[in-house]
Amino acid sequence: MSDITQRLIHLAVVLAIAVTLRFVLILLIRRTVRILLSRESEGSTDLGVRAQSILAKAGGLSVERQRQRVTTLGSLLRNVVDVVIIAVTLLTVLAIFGIPMAPLLASAGVGGVALGFGAQSLVKDYLSGIFMLAEDQFGVGDLITIGDTRGTVLEVSLRVTKLRDPMGTVWYVRNGEILTVGNVSQGFSAVFVDVPVAIDEDPEKVTQVLRAAVSGMQEEPAWAEVLLEEPSVVGVDSMSGGTMVMNIALKTGPNQQWGVMRAVRQRAQRALGEAGIRGPILYPAPPQ
Amino acid sequence: MSDITQRLIHLAVVLAIAVTLRFVLILLIRRTVRILLSRESEGSTDLGVRAQSILAKAGGLSVERQRQRVTTLGSLLRNVVDVVIIAVTLLTVLAIFGIPMAPLLASAGVGGVALGFGAQSLVKDYLSGIFMLAEDQFGVGDLITIGDTRGTVLEVSLRVTKLRDPMGTVWYVRNGEILTVGNVSQGFSAVFVDVPVAIDEDPEKVTQVLRAAVSGMQEEPAWAEVLLEEPSVVGVDSMSGGTMVMNIALKTGPNQQWGVMRAVRQRAQRALGEAGIRGPILYPAPPQ
Amino acid sequence: MSDITQRLIHLAVVLAIAVTLRFVLILLIRRTVRILLSRESEGSTDLGVRAQSILAKAGGLSVERQRQRVTTLGSLLRNVVDVVIIAVTLLTVLAIFGIPMAPLLASAGVGGVALGFGAQSLVKDYLSGIFMLAEDQFGVGDLITIGDTRGTVLEVSLRVTKLRDPMGTVWYVRNGEILTVGNVSQGFSAVFVDVPVAIDEDPEKVTQVLRAAVSGMQEEPAWAEVLLEEPSVVGVDSMSGGTMVMNIALKTGPNQQWGVMRAVRQRAQRALGEAGIRGPILYPAPPQ
Amino acid sequence: MSDITQRLIHLAVVLAIAVTLRFVLILLIRRTVRILLSRESEGSTDLGVRAQSILAKAGGLSVERQRQRVTTLGSLLRNVVDVVIIAVTLLTVLAIFGIPMAPLLASAGVGGVALGFGAQSLVKDYLSGIFMLAEDQFGVGDLITIGDTRGTVLEVSLRVTKLRDPMGTVWYVRNGEILTVGNVSQGFSAVFVDVPVAIDEDPEKVTQVLRAAVSGMQEEPAWAEVLLEEPSVVGVDSMSGGTMVMNIALKTGPNQQWGVMRAVRQRAQRALGEAGIRGPILYPAPPQ
Amino acid sequence: MSDITQRLIHLAVVLAIAVTLRFVLILLIRRTVRILLSRESEGSTDLGVRAQSILAKAGGLSVERQRQRVTTLGSLLRNVVDVVIIAVTLLTVLAIFGIPMAPLLASAGVGGVALGFGAQSLVKDYLSGIFMLAEDQFGVGDLITIGDTRGTVLEVSLRVTKLRDPMGTVWYVRNGEILTVGNVSQGFSAVFVDVPVAIDEDPEKVTQVLRAAVSGMQEEPAWAEVLLEEPSVVGVDSMSGGTMVMNIALKTGPNQQWGVMRAVRQRAQRALGEAGIRGPILYPAPPQ
Amino acid sequence: MSDITQRLIHLAVVLAIAVTLRFVLILLIRRTVRILLSRESEGSTDLGVRAQSILAKAGGLSVERQRQRVTTLGSLLRNVVDVVIIAVTLLTVLAIFGIPMAPLLASAGVGGVALGFGAQSLVKDYLSGIFMLAEDQFGVGDLITIGDTRGTVLEVSLRVTKLRDPMGTVWYVRNGEILTVGNVSQGFSAVFVDVPVAIDEDPEKVTQVLRAAVSGMQEEPAWAEVLLEEPSVVGVDSMSGGTMVMNIALKTGPNQQWGVMRAVRQRAQRALGEAGIRGPILYPAPPQ
Amino acid sequence: MSDITQRLIHLAVVLAIAVTLRFVLILLIRRTVRILLSRESEGSTDLGVRAQSILAKAGGLSVERQRQRVTTLGSLLRNVVDVVIIAVTLLTVLAIFGIPMAPLLASAGVGGVALGFGAQSLVKDYLSGIFMLAEDQFGVGDLITIGDTRGTVLEVSLRVTKLRDPMGTVWYVRNGEILTVGNVSQGFSAVFVDVPVAIDEDPEKVTQVLRAAVSGMQEEPAWAEVLLEEPSVVGVDSMSGGTMVMNIALKTGPNQQWGVMRAVRQRAQRALGEAGIRGPILYPAPPQ
């Protein structure tokens, strides 16, 4: 009887814990959803709230889309909590009364292995997302390069990063697949403009002509804000076939090099033409 | 005897739970199938129903195909439920009566490892599918790019995504293999049209001729709905061999750039011809 | 003695279950083999029969080959069932009489890990096959593309898919390796025919000539069943070197584009010749 | 003492089983080796014999090589059986007398994980081999393509497939690495012969000339057995640069296309020359 | 009762340990955060402090960014410590009072597998980072090559390495993905300058002209610090088409070769011109 | 006390087994080392000796190198045996006296997982090596192709295969990474020699000229041992641009084709010149 | 009470073992560090010392760098030993007094899986390193090729191999990633020098001219030490376009071919010029 009593006490304890845990978790989910919906969470300090405020700051979600997503996730989470708590409680009660669990747990283990392994890339995505956010590798509006994809960050969530590439395509990249990421919007952009001329022109004369053509660009109002340094003619880059290629180095604000490159190319072309310097000799060169 | 009694009670409990569980699961499967078949599930609120309504909304299945698939899956699920419940119950009963389970469970474990690991990519497909749907990465009718495959989404199920590419081929892509997805149908499409001219033409003159050729296109009824911005001539893009390439930037509605590109190319060609600007000088250039 | 009695009862139960299970499984295998051999299984409804009827419908096996394969598989399965049941029963009996199993099970575990992991791709193949069949991704006779392999489906089994490519080679592809599959035989095929002309021809005149050449093809008896739409000249596709490429769009029944393409190419060539439009200017263009 | 008695009984049982098992296994190995050596096994029916007869049929081993390999494998297997049975028996005896096994089994587990995982690709090779043989994907003498390797099958064993490529190199491919295999020797081979002519020739005239050149080949004794269909001129395949390419379709027995292709090419060349049709215009075309 | 007493003692011990452990860990976290914030940690000797001082030395973080990151990580760690200690204590207490844990632990195991496997690449990143730092493979300011990315190291943290490439893009590379790393800034840089001349020039004469052109460069003030050795003309490197390529070998300080290469190229060109040696003969050579 | 007695007996048994096992293993290692050093092992028959004699036959090690390696491996193995036996014995003794092992074994398990998984590729290398040797895929002196590496086998050990490529580089390839291996030295080598002529030459005349040039080579003493068959002119291989390529088929002993190919090329060239057949017309052909 | 006594004895034993083990390990670490620092370890014979002496011989570390690294590693190892021994002892003591460990061990297991799997590539690196050193695949100063990296070995440690490539870049390659390694510095280097001449020159005459040009080189003092064999003209290597390529075979000491190749090329060029043999005819040849 003492045994029976003990089992009944165990039963009561397990049920109490299960009910309490479910109550606390459901409450936590409800509250998180409410806070996420009202966005009044800046001052609060407990963990759950902090996590979602990080999440909210990270992504620039449109309000209605986020509201909808939050509600769906909340109801999904509540259902998962219910199913898991009921199942575990039931099994524990059976175990309290001495019914052997080994066959059931072994059978469930097969599903568990599949589920655990299948979910591993999901967990990897979330962990990568958390660390990427914590390390502040990029933010909304940055131009970044991930593998073959380059675009402006639209949204950073814990699982995926959303980019828009220059062609207008929106890319969703799973965070766990981001092994290397390049952020173009930090600091500056440096480029070389290639200027091809005939291989038998005098390199020093060409250098002087080009230098004259681009000097003073940094003072011009059109380029003052874009150029970080005066463009510099660095000399002969390569000689092959009938072509000698001269290099002009530019340093601009992040991703602002495109307009300057076009302007420099246009000025160089005009200056070379005026100085009578011939373009590349158009015989085919040995292929490489 | 107390021991025997206890075991008989355990037996009764296990059988009762097994029968109840089977009854509930079969009922759930039947009901889900019925709802999926009659599509009357919009207003219902419990989890199972919600899951299939998400599924149903996601894919644009033809009615008869879905009906057939649902019936097959339902009967398959019922059989799986039967086999699993009978096997687990039998084993638990044997364990209740003290027959050692270790050799059997160990033998089954080998199969379990193979099954669990083999099923892991299946689970990964489903988990990826659930999150892709929840995050609304793309919908039926969107033009998307997955790896080397580009096409219009025909159907999004939890396991595979079905596309039709521009050549008419229908592609089935497993959701777990979608690491990066590009959605072309969100927002806009931006392109550059290349216009090659002779390398010794005056870039500024060419720019003016092209600007005149494409200005006002956004007001023309034919392009008013397609063009989001007036086409702009952005300048010299590259100079190599006997060719100078000018760029014209276009911004259109998603995936609507193709007609505009052809029209712009045709207008540019005509305008250049009328202005007497020569095309690229056709000597072979140094290969790269 | 009560202990001895209990053990003897356990022994009897285990042996009874083993014998029964073996009997049932052997019966099931025999029956499945008989049904597969006589192909009289259309009306039957239990799971085993359904599985093999799906299997049978899926592949278009020649009768004698399938008969032979089925017999071999049946005898293999019977042997596997015998070995597994005898081994598990023996071990359980030893465990009933209290002989420690840990050393044996641990030793067997090493083999089990190797076997389980080695078999995982086999399980993956079968699971993928089951879902591919259930989702009806393609059927016998469809022209499909899997990775670098394109061919007509000869047979879909649960483990491998068998294709014949246009060169006559027969390909066996393991289902678990099919991440993305393209089905050409669903709906239609759309193609562009490239027509190269000299870069200085008038695009509008060329368009008219080509339009005249291909208009009315859908009404011609030879193409009426193949063409789904009237061919349309969509305009200038690209201009590079001395070549301007015009595009003609075709939409045909699945995989029926080849003959139309040749016919359209021939007509275009003739029409251009008659209209005095020159072909591409044959100077080498800048390589890309 | 009853405890001691029981343990002694256990000891006796374990030793008896170990000795019996070793005896049976050694006998089985000896018998299999003897049968494999004398090749008298066609009529026998038990599993071991069947397996090796399948193995023997599959590969076309030279007699002395197989004899040597079989003897080596037999002695290796006997040693493995001895070591495993002695070790497991010793451990079980220790466990019977109550010596704790946990430290030893845990230490052995590390080796076991390494061994099990390291052996997993071996098991995969064997399982793939068994299924490839059972599915009869290819046989000795077939010309097959596996990945980048193409050759004639010399031998199919359970672990590796042995090919000889056309250059005479012998390739050993592990069966588990065969994801996709193409069998050229099933049914037929279909090819297109390209015939390049000047781009300004009349396609219809060229078609007639070629048709006349190849018509009737199927009736000629030299090609009657090789050609499955009359060669057919399918029309213009491509037009680029100064070249128009005509296609002639051939369908021959498996891998018998090479001679026909050369003959057709030679006839076409002669017929075109006699008809005064010029070859391709030899200006460089735009590279791709 | 003795049993109850024992359990209560166990309870007290567990609670005491839990409270103590939490106190110690929170203290450790607080102290580490405080030290990291005040950067007064150079002289301290215990492990935690050393670890973060290594960390701090490795990366050249801006002060405010590091301060913010440290505070966030500290609060995150405190929360993790709280949750883990409370959960483990609760479960241990339940186990002390005999409530069966198997169902709960098995359920948690599924999540544990997913979490453990998902976190494995995180652990790999950290372990790789620790060893990379310990082996001092590169430091802040070094120019390094990782896979396709080359840039100057901005920061080395335990998880990621931060580079800026020459174009200004900032790259984040996960340490676990760094299989091979090339450090350009250790020792020297050696390059060959190619000088193409006509294939029928006398190699010895060209060698003398080039030798005269570059001799003495190491003594010139402009290059004295950069050049580690006198440039040497090593002879004919290749002959193909109409071109003979001569090689000049340079050895400079790490990554200082670019200016020297341009100067050498310019001098060689001038000297060859003055000596009347013709450049490469510009006929197309056979492509490779 | 009976308990104490039993434990002391267990202790004695465990120590006895440990000492015996260590003695046997050390003896085995010593003997193997001695035999390997004196190479007197041909006639012996037990497993250890056989294994190393296989090993010794497989590789053509220089005597002193092998002696040194064997001694080092022997002393390493003795140390490993000592450490493992002492550790396991100590733990078992502790377990005999009832000290709980769970915490220690769990801690060791983490290291065990890392060690087991890390060692898995090592085990794979050895297993692959054993099977490669048993299947006699290649031997010392054979010319083989593994992945991108081709060379003559210098040594086949159980873990790595050592090749020397034609450039003199010595390659070490891990056996587990050998998925496909091509053995050039088995049987024969077959090659085609390409002979390019002008596209408008008569194929039949060219065939006759070439046939006359190479006929009778198999009888010439210089080639009698090398050529397995008379060279045969198989006809026109391809026609593109201004070139018609004729094929001559050769079949030689393994890897003996190079000299024959040069001789055939030289004869063909001379014969064509004497017969007045022009070489390929040197206009650029359309690139592919 | 006997129970309490036993537990106290257990406690004492565990503490004694823990203290002893820590003492021994710390001593071992200290001694290893001291020996590594003083490098007086040549004559000692126990395992630890031998391991580090192998390590020391393998790498050519600068003294101060190694000193610093050794001290750091020693202090790190001491800390790890302390933490592990304290934690395991504490847990064992708790287990001795009957506090349930399952919840704690299960929680720790999640971290253990992550740690074990994350550390697996570390273990792989070390195991590969040990075997690479034991097999003496390459040593400091050898020129080796690993994947795309080729360079001179600077240092071989157990975890990484350090190379300097010809451009001066220092590469760190993890040993576990070295699947195939090519050692250029063993034995010899063999190369072919290509000499292109006009396709219509007489091959035999060219062969004689070239033979005369390079004969006797092995006797010249400049090349006597470098050339292992007299250079031999092996004949026509290929004929395509207007070019016939002759091959001269060289065999030199390891990696000493570069100077000889330049000298042979220069001599061949001069000899051909003097003999009036024309270079390749510079028309473009058909691309491949």
Side-chain angles (χ1 to χ4, degrees), chain B residues 1-173:
Chain B
M1 205 183 86
S2 155
D3 186 52
I4 292 290
T5 318
Q6 189 189 351
R7 291 188 175 177
L8 290 176
I9 293 171
H10 283 175
L11 177 62
V13 169
V14 165
L15 290 180
I17 290 176
V19 168
T20 314
L21 194 64
R22 183 181 173 281
F23 180 75
V24 170
L25 286 174
I26 297 287
L27 205 78
L28 214 76
I29 293 169
R30 282 237 177 85
R31 190 174 151 214
T32 306
V33 168
R34 211 172 41 237
I35 291 170
L36 279 174
L37 288 179
S38 61
R39 294 266 195 167
E40 309 166 347
S41 64
E42 300 307 294
S44 65
T45 57
D46 64 301
L47 186 69
V49 173
R50 185 169 303 123
Q52 23 103 336
S53 79
I54 287 172
L55 184 55
K57 262 193 312 208
L61 293 169
S62 72
V63 175
E64 63 279 39
R65 282 285 297 280
Q66 185 168 18
R67 190 173 294 266
Q68 194 177 336
R69 196 177 295 180
V70 159
T71 318
T72 311
L73 272 174
S75 106
L76 187 68
L77 273 178
R78 272 202 305 272
N79 281 311
V80 168
V81 162
D82 275 359
V83 168
V84 169
I85 285 184
I86 289 174
V88 171
T89 306
L90 188 63
L91 292 179
T92 307
V93 169
L94 291 180
I96 286 173
F97 287 101
I99 290 170
M101 289 285 106
L104 185 57
L105 293 181
S107 310
V110 174
V113 165
L115 196 58
F117 277 90
Q120 108 190 47
S121 62
L122 210 69
V123 172
K124 199 173 140 194
D125 288 347
Y126 276 100
L127 286 176
S128 297
I130 288 169
F131 277 82
M132 266 170 41
L133 282 174
E135 290 165 7
D136 194 15
Q137 293 188 0
F138 48 82
V140 172
D142 281 1
L143 179 69
I144 66 172
T145 301
I146 299 171
D148 297 333
T149 312
R150 163 174 286 221
T152 308
V153 179
L154 292 183
E155 189 186 322
V156 191
S157 78
L158 289 178
R159 201 183 82 91
V160 296
T161 296
K162 193 172 161 187
L163 310 174
R164 185 185 292 279
D165 76 11
M167 312 308 280
T169 302
V170 173
W171 292 90
Y172 296 83
V173 183

Side-chain angles (χ1 to χ4, degrees), chain G residues 151-273:
Chain G
T152 309
V153 178
L154 293 182
E155 188 185 321
V156 191
S157 79
L158 289 179
R159 202 182 81 91
V160 295
T161 296
K162 193 171 161 187
L163 310 175
R164 185 186 291 280
D165 75 10
M167 314 306 280
T169 302
V170 174
W171 292 91
Y172 296 84
V173 182
R174 288 167 53 173
N175 290 336
E177 303 299 323
I178 304 181
L179 307 182
T180 301
V181 60
N183 190 333
V184 181
S185 306
Q186 293 191 349
F188 65 88
S189 288
V191 284
F192 286 101
V193 175
D194 285 359
V195 181
V197 298
I199 198 167
D200 50 4
E201 294 287 344
D202 178 12
E204 275 152 61
K205 188 183 157 198
V206 177
T207 302
Q208 283 170 2
V209 168
L210 291 176
R211 223 164 249 161
V214 298
S215 73
M217 274 187 82
Q218 210 188 358
E219 273 73 50
E220 299 177 22
W223 307 117
E225 290 189 0
V226 170
L227 277 172
L228 303 184
E229 290 175 4
E230 184 78 292
S232 68
V233 184
V234 291
V236 178
D237 180 63
S238 69
M239 296 182 307
S240 75
T243 308
M244 177 166 62
V245 176
M246 306 296 293
N247 263 353
I248 304 176
L250 302 177
K251 194 167 184 179
T252 69
N255 206 30
Q256 297 180 313
Q257 69 268 45
W258 308 109
V260 195
M261 285 173 77
R262 287 201 195 87
V264 165
R265 225 179 259 126
Q266 213 148 322
R267 283 175 195 221
Q269 198 65 1
R270 194 157 0 105
L272 291 174

Side-chain angles (χ1 to χ4, degrees), chain E:
Chain E
M1 202 183 90
S2 155
D3 186 53
I4 292 289
T5 315
Q6 188 187 354
R7 291 190 175 176
L8 288 177
I9 293 170
H10 284 176
L11 177 62
V13 170
V14 165
L15 290 179
I17 290 175
V19 168
T20 313
L21 193 64
R22 183 182 174 279
F23 179 76
V24 169
L25 287 174
I26 297 286
L27 205 78
L28 214 76
I29 293 169
R30 282 237 177 85
R31 188 173 154 216
T32 307
V33 168
R34 208 170 44 236
I35 290 169
L36 279 174
L37 289 179
S38 61
R39 293 266 195 165
E40 307 166 348
S41 63
E42 299 308 293
S44 64
T45 58
D46 64 301
L47 185 69
V49 173
R50 185 169 302 124
Q52 24 103 337
S53 80
I54 288 173
L55 184 57
K57 263 195 311 211
L61 291 170
S62 70
V63 175
E64 64 280 39
R65 282 284 297 279
Q66 186 168 16
R67 189 174 293 268
Q68 194 176 335
R69 197 178 294 181
V70 159
T71 319
T72 310
L73 272 174
S75 106
L76 186 69
L77 272 178
R78 273 201 304 272
N79 281 311
V80 169
V81 162
D82 275 358
V83 167
V84 169
I85 285 185
I86 290 174
V88 171
T89 307
L90 188 62
L91 291 180
T92 307
V93 169
L94 291 180
I96 286 172
F97 287 101
I99 289 170
M101 290 283 106
L104 185 56
L105 293 181
S107 311
V110 174
V113 165
L115 196 58
F117 277 90
Q120 110 189 46
S121 62
L122 209 70
V123 172
K124 200 172 140 195
D125 289 346
Y126 276 101
L127 285 176
S128 298
I130 289 169
F131 277 82
M132 268 171 41
L133 282 174
E135 290 165 6
D136 194 15
Q137 294 189 359
F138 48 82
V140 172
D142 282 1
L143 179 68
I144 65 172
T145 301
I146 299 171
D148 298 332
T149 312
R150 162 174 286 222
T152 309
V153 179
L154 292 183
E155 189 185 320
V156 190
S157 79
L158 289 179
R159 201 182 83 91
V160 295
T161 295
K162 193 172 162 187
L163 311 174
R164 185 185 291 281
D165 75 11
M167 313 306 281
T169 302
V170 173
W171 292 91
Y172 295 83
V173 183
R174 288 167 53 173
N175 290 336
E177 302 299 323
I178 303 181
L179 306 182
T180 302
V181 60
N183 190 334
V184 180
S185 306
Q186 292 190 349
F188 64 87
S189 288
V191 283
F192 285 101
V193 176
D194 285 0
V195 181
V197 298
I199 198 167
D200 51 3
E201 295 287 343
D202 178 12
E204 274 153 62
K205 189 184 155 199
V206 177
T207 302
Q208 283 171 2
V209 169
L210 291 176
R211 222 163 250 162
V214 299
S215 73
M217 274 187 80
Q218 209 188 358
E219 274 72 51
E220 298 177 22
W223 307 117
E225 290 188 1
V226 169
L227 277 172
L228 302 184
E229 289 175 3
E230 185 75 293
S232 68
V233 183
V234 291
V236 178
D237 180 63
S238 70
M239 296 183 306
S240 75
T243 307
M244 178 166 63
V245 176
M246 306 297 294
N247 263 353
I248 305 176
L250 302 177
K251 194 166 186 179
T252 69
N255 205 29
Q256 297 180 314
Q257 69 269 44
W258 309 108
V260 195
M261 284 172 77
R262 287 201 194 87
V264 166
R265 225 180 260 127
Q266 213 149 322
R267 283 175 195 221
Q269 197 66 1
R270 195 158 359 106
L272 291 174
E274 288 164 1
I277 290 168
R278 284 166 312 127
I281 305 172
L282 294 173
Y283 287 102
Q288 284 147 349

